[in-house]
């Protein structure tokens, strides 16, 4: 295969950190090339440079043998480089065709455009109806819109940023078919992910970054996932191991017909959710993001109102305030680290006070004992190996993984009787994720009831004792982890989406 | 090429250095303006900054005036700053100031001419309640109906001003005042008076109370859960809710608190320096206090310094007008320059400037 893209000696420095240090990256024509690395390893910076969002401090790039220096994404697109972002930039109130039209410099007539969308959709197995409103689409369908939008420009190099993090296993498989199809036609793909298994399946070459430097270029198929992870992290680390769970008989936290309205405009409302978590049990809640995860976490925490019943240690929770629930021993860690579970401008000590005031008795009649709070903060920092300059450093100065260790550690250190975590390892590096998972397992083995909401199916299979699936605000019955297959979970995750995809395919084909 | 870079942590050196640099810049730019007007710039700046404090003849009058003017500014600004920290924007302190004064005045006059120790304390309570009640109106409208507190509190200023005009011409008018508008003079009603405590210093009960409130606000923000919740709400409303803050209660508390302190400022002003409820009782302290609050970076110590500085430029400006015949527009421009430099240089605490050569990509 011919060399298509070359980057040499790319460097980029931010204040205090060298994000890219003499990076070399080469991609052949039609190759699916993996870019691997932890959060903060410089993946995003490199990709932004290639896509014209950032100018590099040093280095040069060649595209098809020609000097390539995009000043803007528009120029990058003109030269045949397209990118699908992890976070979509679609207008929910507009239709698929309107959204695609908005991104074009020179859009054709609406009819012609819709025909092209259908055509690309058929050719690359990306079925989508051009007239559907984006707000009504599933996440997988929205991603298809983004991909079609890129393919409209006939890109020679397609950059995909963590594309499967929001997909069900079936949707991911479908995406891989599309990508393989593209690669056969000669389109090069730069595939960014931290999911090692899928990279081993999809890619033939991987460039691994650590701390802004290329540490290895290899064929991922020839290495095990553990080896790849160790190259990424630079050290050996243990994967979480399930402890012996002391299962109680009585359910500690149980919900009956729990319903609530959507928290955001295009959110999902929960309808008649039932579950119970026993002492020592980890109940995993799988599902594609945006199917009511945020709502469920908010209802249990006490941030959103709900109907039905939610009982903890036998007492009714729904009429209790969030602080009262904490006093009872029910703690929560929401998905968003910055701005929800922690305030970015505040110090770690202040952030520790944010949830630990009640259970750790950090204040008396309103007067805060900052010394005690600081001691507690330090114990969280050391117990969970949080890398920070100290208890006074602001939350925003921590990397995603370290802040997440702090936020989860803050709850675990309060010795909760029940803990609810939403996306505990979202955007967290592999080493930190392993620590967090092990901490959750240890907490359960000490007799706490743990509820983990996660999009990462591997994670749930690894740590939970039983799994239920949340889809369109409805929760499936929980099944023992040993008795449920990945495929079964995938189908439940697809839920109502499954048939829709099928029927659409027929419509498009007809 | 010049580049701005955000600092990882705010620079402590610059937090202290920026006000000094701002004053120097103001002296240079203002001096140039005075020179263009044909006035000796050295003499002009000296009259504004130096004379009120240290001139052997003028300071006897000016120095007490600085405290008299700074006390209500600081008192109101402290209250506002607590709301501002939580992103609750009370712009109507002027109205709360007026209503506090009217409530206190009404209570005081109700007892006239009785001589009793409890009258002044009752007026204190009335001033507090009057201001808080006027702050409670936007609070309730915001929490119940989602009305914007900026607009509501501002519009209530004009309501309060008309009410002031009405009472000083109507039911609080001095019956022995031979028909002149305005209430009785509280300075002459001993049980309701707030006199200068130490002659020649300008110190009255309101000044002492302002110092007490500065200390209290500092402790509240630093060590109390309420202060923490206020800060947290300002930094992230969602995190605050997660922490257990009730935003409705916090909004009401902040607006009532700032209203109460503005009302008390009005009460001290009425019973002390002003003496009388008249149509033009309010002179804009409630609005100037907004500037003072931001100038002091919403910090009690900063607010104290900013309040004193604002008072100094007002008094100095007045001196400049009658000593050097400076046009009042020039004084206002000079004060504007000071604010401009203070606020524009503030970015140095959060950003650093770097000189960089552009390299080929």
């Amino acid at each position: 295969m011919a060399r298509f893209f070359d980057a040499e000696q790319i460097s980029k420095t931010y204040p205090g950190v060298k994000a890219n240090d003499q990076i070399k990256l080469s991609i052949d024509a039609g190759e699916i090339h993996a870019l691997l690395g932890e959060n903060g390893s410089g993946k995003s910076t490199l990709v932004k440079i290639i896509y014209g969002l950032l100018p590099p401090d040093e280095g040069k790039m060649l595209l098809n043998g020609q000097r390539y220096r995009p000043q803007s994404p528009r120029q990058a697109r003109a030269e045949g480089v397209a990118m699908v972002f992890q976070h979509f930039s679609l207008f929910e109130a507009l239709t698929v065709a309107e959204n695609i039209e908005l991104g074009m410099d020179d859009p054709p007539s609406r009819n012609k455009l819709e025909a092209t969308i259908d055509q690309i959709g058929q050719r690359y197995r990306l079925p989508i109806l051009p007239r559907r409103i984006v707000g009504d689409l599933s996440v997988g369908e929205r991603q298809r819109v983004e991909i079609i939008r890129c393919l409209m420009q006939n890109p020679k190099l397609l950059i995909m940023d963590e594309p499967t993090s929001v997909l069900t296993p079936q949707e991911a498989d479908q995406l891989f078919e599309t990508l393989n199809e593209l690669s056969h036609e000669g389109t090069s793909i730069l595939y960014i992910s931290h999911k090692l298994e899928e990279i081993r399946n999809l890619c033939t070459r991987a460039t691994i970054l650590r701390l802004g430097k290329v540490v290895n270029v290899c064929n991922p198929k020839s290495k095990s996932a553990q080896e790849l992870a160790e190259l990424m992290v630079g050290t050996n680390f243990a994967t979480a191991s399930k402890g012996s769970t002391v299962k109680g008989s009585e359910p500690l936290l149980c919900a009956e017909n729990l319903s609530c309205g959507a928290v955001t405009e295009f959110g999902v409302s929960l309808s008649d959710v039932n579950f119970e978590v026993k002492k020592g049990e980890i109940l995993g809640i799988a599902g594609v993001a945006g199917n009511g995860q945020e709502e469920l976490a908010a209802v249990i925490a006490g941030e959103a109102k709900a109907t039905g019943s939610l009982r903890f240690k036998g007492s009714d929770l729904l009429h209790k305030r969030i602080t009262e629930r904490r006093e009872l021993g029910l703690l929560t860690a929401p998905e968003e680290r910055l701005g929800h579970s922690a305030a970015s401008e505040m110090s770690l000590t202040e952030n520790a006070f944010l949830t630990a005031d009640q259970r750790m008795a950090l204040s008396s009649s309103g007067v805060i004992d900052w010394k005690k709070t600081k001691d507690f903060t330090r114990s969280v920092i050391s117990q969970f190996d949080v890398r920070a300059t100290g208890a006074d450093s602001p939350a925003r100065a921590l990397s995603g993984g370290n802040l997440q260790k702090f936020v989860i550690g803050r709850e675990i250190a309060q010795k909760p009787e029940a803990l609810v975590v939403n996306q505990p390892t979202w955007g967290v590096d592999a080493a930190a994720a392993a620590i967090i998972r092990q901490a959750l397992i240890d907490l359960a083995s000490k007799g706490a009831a743990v509820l983990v909401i996660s999009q990462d199916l591997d994670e749930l299979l690894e740590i939970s004792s039983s799994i239920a699936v949340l889809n369109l605000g409805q929760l499936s019955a929980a099944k023992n982890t040993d008795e449920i297959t990945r495929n079964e979970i995938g189908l439940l995750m697809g839920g109502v989406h499954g048939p829709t995809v099928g029927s659409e395919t027929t419509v498009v084909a007809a | 090429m010049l580049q701005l870079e955000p600092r990882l942590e705010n620079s402590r050196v610059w937090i202290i250095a920026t006000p000094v640099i701002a004053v120097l810049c103001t002296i240079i730019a203002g001096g140039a303006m005075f020179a263009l007007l044909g006035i000796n710039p050295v003499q002009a700046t000296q009259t504004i900054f130096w004379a009120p404090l240290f001139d052997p003849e003028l300071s006897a009058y000016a120095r007490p005036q600085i405290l008299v003017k700074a006390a209500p500014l600081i008192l109101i600004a402290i209250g506002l700053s607590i709301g501002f920290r939580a992103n609750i924007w009370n712009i109507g302190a002027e109205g709360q100031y007026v209503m506090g004064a009217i409530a206190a005045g009404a209570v005081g006059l109700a007892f006239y001419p009785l001589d009793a120790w409890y009258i002044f304390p009752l007026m204190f309570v009335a001033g507090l309640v009057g201001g808080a009640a006027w702050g409670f109106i936007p609070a309730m409208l915001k929490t119940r109906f989602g009305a914007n507190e900026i607009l509501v509190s501002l519009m209530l200023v004009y309501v309060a001003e008309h009410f002031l005009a009405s009472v000083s011409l109507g039911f609080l008018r001095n019956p022995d005042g031979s028909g002149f508008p305005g209430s009785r003079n509280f300075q002459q009603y001993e049980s309701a008076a707030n006199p200068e405590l130490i002659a020649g210093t300008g110190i009255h009960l309101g000044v002492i109370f302002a110092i007490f409130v500065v200390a209290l606000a500092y402790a509240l923000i630093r060590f109390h859960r309420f202060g923490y919740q206020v800060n947290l709400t300002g930094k992230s409303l969602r995190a605050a809710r997660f922490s257990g803050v009730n935003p409705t209660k916090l909004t009401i508390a902040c607006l009532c608190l700032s209203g109460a302190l503005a009302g008390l400022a009005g009460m001290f002003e009425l019973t002390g320096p002003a003496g009388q409820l008249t149509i033009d009782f309010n002179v804009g302290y409630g609005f100037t206090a907004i500037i003072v609050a931001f100038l002091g970076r919403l910090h009690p110590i900063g607010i104290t310094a900013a309040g004193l500085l604002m008072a100094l430029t007002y008094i100095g400006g007045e001196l400049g007008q009658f000593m050097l015949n400076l046009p009042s527009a020039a004084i206002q421009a000079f004060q504007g320059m000071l604010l401009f430099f203070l606020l524009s240089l503030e970015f140095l605490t959060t950003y650093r400037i770097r000189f960089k050569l552009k390299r080929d990509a």
Side-chain angles (χ1 to χ4, degrees):
Chain A
M1 275 192 277
R3 177 64 48 85
F4 180 69
F5 173 84
D6 258 308
E8 263 165 41
Q9 261 93 50
I10 299 285
S11 294
K12 178 80 191 175
T13 310
Y14 291 124
V17 55
K18 200 147 196 189
N20 276 185
D21 189 0
Q22 305 282 317
I23 286 191
K24 182 174 158 46
L25 173 71
S26 60
I27 306 169
D28 292 337
E31 181 193 356
I32 305 183
H33 189 102
L35 186 59
L36 259 173
E38 295 192 87
N39 279 44
S41 62
K43 282 179 306 187
S44 311
T45 305
L46 180 59
V47 165
K48 280 181 186 161
I49 289 171
I50 299 175
Y51 193 53
L53 281 164
L54 277 179
D57 293 343
E58 275 173 61
K60 64 171 187 177
M61 295 185 279
L62 293 174
L63 193 71
N64 227 348
Q66 301 286 311
R67 186 72 195 270
Y68 168 67
R69 33 180 162 184
Q71 301 294 315
S72 65
R74 172 184 282 222
Q75 206 183 330
R77 285 194 296 267
E79 303 220 25
V81 176
M83 177 161 177
V84 177
F85 287 90
Q86 189 178 357
H87 300 285
F88 306 146
S89 47
L90 297 171
F91 293 96
E92 299 196 320
L94 299 182
T95 66
V96 171
E98 284 166 339
N99 264 293
I100 289 175
E101 188 181 327
L102 275 175
M104 299 176 80
D105 296 331
D106 188 16
S109 75
R110 184 65 56 78
N111 280 339
K112 223 171 159 186
L113 182 67
E114 289 180 0
T116 322
I117 293 171
D118 277 343
Q119 199 192 335
I120 292 182
Q122 277 181 53
R123 185 154 146 212
Y124 298 104
R125 302 172 216 215
L126 297 162
I128 197 91
L129 288 177
R131 294 200 181 165
R132 285 189 67 189
I133 301 285
V134 167
D136 299 333
L137 301 180
S138 74
V139 187
E141 289 170 317
R142 287 180 203 204
Q143 190 181 53
R144 276 181 228 157
V145 179
E146 288 276 10
I147 298 174
I148 291 175
R149 181 193 264 182
C150 286
L151 296 184
M152 300 289 285
Q153 310 147 13
N154 288 316
K156 300 289 173 294
L157 173 64
L158 181 63
I159 306 170
M160 306 277 304
D161 188 10
E162 305 260 353
T164 57
S165 53
V166 292
L167 302 182
T168 66
Q170 282 85 352
E171 283 175 320
D173 287 342
Q174 211 175 355
L175 173 71
F176 296 155
E177 283 178 32
T178 304
L179 294 182
N180 278 322
E181 182 76 36
L182 279 167
S183 132
H184 282 306
E185 290 183 7
T187 309
S188 308
I189 295 166
L190 182 61
Y191 190 90
I192 301 157
S193 180
H194 63 266
K195 291 192 181 173
L196 305 167
E197 281 304 335
E198 68 183 37
I199 280 177
R200 292 184 62 235
N201 287 331
L202 193 67
C203 309
T204 45
R205 229 149 48 99
T207 296
I208 302 176
L209 299 187
R210 190 199 318 148
L211 300 174
K213 289 188 180 151
V214 175
V215 290
N216 202 304
V217 180
C218 62
N219 181 350
K221 291 183 203 288
S222 68
K223 295 212 185 296
S224 73
Q226 178 77 20
E227 279 173 314
L228 288 175
E230 283 173 8
L231 280 171
M232 253 163 71
V233 182
T235 50
N236 301 350
F237 60 89
T239 47
S241 59
K242 277 189 206 181
S244 55
T245 44
V246 214
K247 253 196 189 176
S249 48
E250 282 296 295
L252 199 61
L253 178 67
C254 71
E256 269 171 50
N257 300 326
L258 203 58
S259 302
C260 94
V263 225
T264 54
E265 197 186 339
F266 285 97
V268 168
S269 48
L270 291 181
S271 53
D272 293 330
V273 165
N274 294 287
F275 66 81
E276 54 175 56
V277 198
K278 299 189 176 75
K279 271 176 81 101
E281 187 186 21
I282 299 184
L283 172 63
I285 299 206
V288 176
N291 273 293
Q293 283 90 340
E294 209 175 311
E295 285 78 5
L296 182 61
V299 164
I300 303 175
E303 291 176 282
K305 288 200 160 56
T307 57
S309 119
L310 180 66
R311 304 183 74 77
F312 175 61
K313 294 198 290 190
S315 67
D316 180 28
L317 275 191
L318 284 185
H319 301 290
K320 292 211 159 44
R321 286 196 302 269
I322 189 162
T323 46
E324 293 171 322
R325 297 182 197 203
R326 286 201 184 108
E327 274 160 24
L328 276 173
L330 171 71
L331 301 185
T332 44
E335 174 181 3
E336 280 287 322
R337 292 182 280 271
L338 288 177
H340 194 175
S341 53
S344 57
E345 295 297 317
M346 286 187 150
S347 72
L348 292 182
T349 307
E350 287 171 299
N351 272 303
F353 186 80
L354 201 140
T355 65
D357 180 18
Q358 291 88 22
R359 269 183 92 72
M360 304 310 290
L362 297 178
S363 67
S364 64
S365 51
V367 179
I368 302 171
D369 187 342
W370 283 119
K371 196 188 161 295
K372 199 170 170 187
T373 311
K374 204 165 193 169
D375 290 343
F376 172 71
T377 312
R378 289 205 179 109
S379 76
V380 172
I381 290 175
S382 66
Q383 202 181 332
F384 292 89
D385 189 29
V386 178
R387 308 276 164 81
T389 47
D392 292 326
S393 79
R396 71 184 152 92
L398 269 65
S399 72
N402 277 308
L403 186 56
Q404 187 70 1
K405 281 191 281 187
F406 178 76
V407 165
I408 305 250
R410 175 182 71 187
E411 308 305 328
I412 291 179
Q414 297 180 47
K415 301 191 172 59
E417 288 180 58
L419 178 66
V420 178
V421 287
N422 190 6
Q423 317 298 350
T425 60
W426 172 248
V428 164
D429 58 84
I435 292 176
I436 290 170
R437 287 177 193 141
Q438 190 61 55
L440 292 173
I441 290 170
D442 293 345
L443 180 70
S445 65
K446 282 178 200 147
V450 180
L451 187 110
V452 180
I453 304 171
S454 177
Q455 293 177 57
D456 187 341
L457 194 49
D458 300 319
E459 166 171 281
L460 292 180
L461 290 167
E462 185 182 327
I463 65 173
S464 30
S465 31
S466 50
I467 292 182
V469 179
L470 192 60
N471 181 51
L472 288 177
Q474 291 175 319
L475 190 69
S476 72
K479 280 197 174 176
N480 218 317
T481 309
D482 312 329
E483 294 158 14
I484 193 164
T485 65
R486 189 178 284 265
N487 201 34
E488 235 176 299
I489 299 173
L491 287 174
L492 286 169
M493 277 163 84
V496 188
H497 295 323
T500 332
V501 173
S503 63
E504 236 171 75
T505 320
T506 43
V507 172
V508 173
Chain B
M1 192 176 66
L2 269 179
Q3 272 198 337
L4 282 181
E5 274 182 7
R7 291 176 190 272
L8 285 176
E9 278 176 39
N10 290 351
S11 161
R12 280 181 182 279
V13 177
W14 279 107
I15 287 176
I16 295 162
T18 45
V20 179
I21 297 175
V23 169
L24 289 176
C25 289
T26 313
I27 289 174
I28 294 165
M33 177 183 71
F34 291 135
L36 285 174
L37 289 169
I39 297 156
N40 181 348
V42 177
Q43 204 186 354
T45 35
Q46 198 226 8
T47 309
I48 294 173
F49 282 126
W50 187 263
L53 292 172
F54 305 110
D55 186 279
E57 284 164 34
L58 297 173
S59 65
Y61 154 78
R63 230 186 280 167
Q65 279 300 308
I66 292 174
L67 284 184
V68 166
K69 276 205 164 21
L73 285 176
I74 293 170
L75 196 52
I76 300 170
I78 290 281
L80 293 179
S81 72
I82 290 180
F84 291 170
R85 276 171 177 261
N87 292 340
I88 296 162
W89 307 106
N90 179 5
I91 304 298
E94 185 79 359
Q96 294 138 17
Y97 170 84
V98 167
M99 294 310 278
I102 293 174
V107 167
L109 291 174
F111 287 101
Y112 184 84
L114 183 72
D115 181 24
W117 64 267
Y118 53 79
I119 295 175
F120 193 81
L122 279 178
M123 291 172 73
F124 180 92
V125 172
L128 186 147
V129 171
W134 213 240
F136 181 70
I137 299 172
M140 196 194 63
L141 292 174
K142 181 184 171 75
T143 52
R144 282 295 287 273
F145 304 109
N148 185 319
E149 79 275 21
I150 299 178
L151 289 174
V152 176
S153 64
L154 178 63
M155 289 190 292
L156 282 169
V157 172
Y158 306 110
V159 178
E161 281 178 344
H162 285 287
F163 190 61
L164 171 69
S166 154
V167 297
S168 47
L169 294 169
F171 82 104
L172 292 183
R173 188 169 62 176
N174 182 1
D176 305 328
S178 39
F180 281 104
S183 70
R184 286 183 196 278
N185 193 325
F186 288 90
Q187 286 166 346
Q188 287 151 18
Y189 176 23
E190 207 181 315
S191 292
N194 166 28
E196 193 175 24
L197 294 175
I198 305 164
T201 58
I203 294 174
H204 59 79
L205 281 174
V207 176
I208 305 220
F209 184 70
I211 296 169
F212 169 72
V213 165
V214 166
L216 196 69
Y218 182 82
L220 189 75
I221 290 166
R222 187 78 188 76
F223 298 109
H224 198 272
R225 194 197 288 132
F226 177 75
Y228 174 82
Q229 292 185 335
V230 161
N231 286 334
L232 183 59
T233 306
K235 299 267 162 61
S236 164
L237 180 60
R238 205 159 167 224
R241 278 178 200 272
F242 177 61
S243 175
V245 175
N246 180 336
T248 304
K249 282 187 187 162
L250 192 83
T251 304
I252 294 173
C254 284
L255 282 166
C256 288
L257 180 72
S258 50
L261 289 180
L264 285 173
M267 178 264 168
F268 283 119
E269 191 68 16
L270 171 69
T271 52
Q276 217 187 352
L277 267 181
T278 54
I279 296 176
D280 50 4
F281 165 75
N282 59 317
V283 290
Y285 284 138
F287 291 118
T288 310
I290 298 170
I291 302 171
V292 170
F294 278 107
L295 217 47
R297 306 212 165 103
L298 308 183
H299 189 282
I301 310 291
I303 286 170
T304 309
L308 290 168
L309 182 67
M310 283 299 274
L312 174 67
T313 63
Y314 278 129
I315 303 295
E318 276 176 25
L319 286 183
Q321 279 181 55
F322 65 71
M323 300 288 297
L324 304 172
N325 282 326
L326 286 171
S328 70
I331 298 289
Q332 283 172 17
F334 188 78
Q335 289 163 346
M337 283 179 194
L338 181 59
L339 294 182
F340 171 80
F341 283 117
L342 274 168
L343 296 174
S344 60
L345 285 171
E346 194 185 322
F347 83 99
L348 286 173
T349 59
T350 43
Y351 288 90
R352 81 174 91 210
I353 303 176
R354 278 210 170 173
F355 297 94
K356 253 191 181 176
L357 289 175
K358 200 172 183 182
R359 291 211 197 134
D360 193 6

